Amino acid sequence: GARRGLAAACLCLAMIPLLWTAPAAMAKDYYVALGASLAEGIGASTPANKYVSEIYRHEASRYPSLTLKSFACGGTTTIKFIHGPGCEPGTQLGNAEAFLNAHHGKVAFVTIDIGANEMIPCIDESAVNEGCVEGALGEDSVNLPIILAGLQAASPGIRIFAMNYYDPYLADGEKGEPGLALAGETLEVVDRMNAELESVYAVYGVP
């Protein structure tokens, strides 16, 4: 599971303290979850323990009418997020944009994890394909801005919180010298990927 998903290290979800009680007309009814297998729950001990469910339970205390709406689809890359195919008819971006537009002012926040599946083909049991890594980083740098711009245009002012990733290949270091060498290579790759993702998120004001 972890190898298929480059699972999450840091949920940069700086949840906003409840400073005042919103009137009923301004109640926030939805938490929209976007992304790939991590949002679907891969690696979680139970479906109830996937990070999306944990966040939903935490935030439901602030938003009593909160409903979780997930568009997450395992195996999604940034390209598939935009163009499909996905787990539902249409595309994840198009479906999310339509939902945000139709429920403008009713969505409390959006979470997203995307960009790691581009890296999966670049790493095998013994080596990292550097050319593949460069291509994957390029795809993320081009496609992630399209995703974020689309979401923000569909619901101006929407709060989006993003995830970065940890390196599951570090566990190969326990297998001896070859595993240690691979772990060192993959750690560098994941650090570069996180830096690229975080730089794009920063441009769009997404923590």
Side-chain angles (χ1 to χ4, degrees), residues 126-149:
S126 60
V128 173
N129 183 326
E130 285 295 333
C132 176
V133 168
E134 291 298 326
L137 291 172
E139 289 179 11
D140 285 347
S141 68
V142 169
N143 295 323
L144 186 56
I146 295 173
I147 293 169
L148 297 175

Side-chain angles (χ1 to χ4, degrees), residues 28-107:
K28 302 294 186 180
D29 294 331
Y30 298 101
Y31 157 27
V32 175
L34 306 174
S37 55
L38 296 177
E40 280 195 317
I42 188 170
S45 56
T46 69
N49 288 334
K50 62 184 179 182
Y51 84 82
V52 166
S53 297
E54 297 265 4
I55 293 170
Y56 169 72
R57 286 194 297 272
H58 182 273
E59 294 303 305
S61 64
R62 304 182 186 190
Y63 306 104
S65 62
L66 197 66
T67 297
L68 172 61
K69 176 63 178 178
S70 178
F71 293 97
C73 180
T76 299
T77 61
T78 54
I79 292 175
K80 288 183 178 179
F81 195 105
I82 298 168
H83 300 292
C87 296
E88 300 178 5
T91 68
Q92 190 168 167
L93 178 58
N95 293 340
E97 288 173 336
F99 187 89
L100 292 175
N101 185 267
H103 299 87
H104 183 65
K106 291 292 187 178
V107 177

